[in-house]
Amino acid sequence: MKNQKHPPSRMTRRQLAGAILATAAAAQTPPSAPSAPATPDAELQAARERNQRTAEELAKVQVPMAAEPAFHFTA
């Protein structure tokens, strides 16, 4: 006779995707900064530098021409 204490659990695709995304988000560490910028100008400069670094990282990613967008244009 099968073990009746623990019925087999089922997970939907959405639950699985959520679990994977939560794990990936938790694994990422925020960029370490020596101290937070004190002035609005320093905050703006720090944000621009973060955007520049992000743009450089995105430029390194190769996307095949056959990749389709996740949305559709409608007229």
Side-chain angles (χ1 to χ4, degrees):
M1 188 170 163
K2 290 186 177 181
N3 186 357
Q4 297 294 329
K5 292 181 182 179
H6 301 289
S9 60
R10 303 192 124 213
M11 182 179 279
T12 65
R13 288 181 283 172
R14 288 185 182 186
Q15 290 171 331
L16 179 61
I20 291 172
L21 290 176
T23 304
Q28 293 179 351
T29 57
S32 60
S35 63
T39 65
D41 289 335
E43 289 181 17
L44 179 62
Q45 184 61 30
R48 285 180 175 159
E49 290 172 1
R50 283 193 306 271
N51 285 344
Q52 183 63 34
R53 284 193 304 270
T54 302
E56 290 169 358
E57 290 297 317
L58 288 173
K60 293 177 185 177
V61 176
Q62 296 292 326
V63 179
M65 291 297 289
E68 295 184 19
F71 54 89
H72 297 281
F73 292 104
T74 57

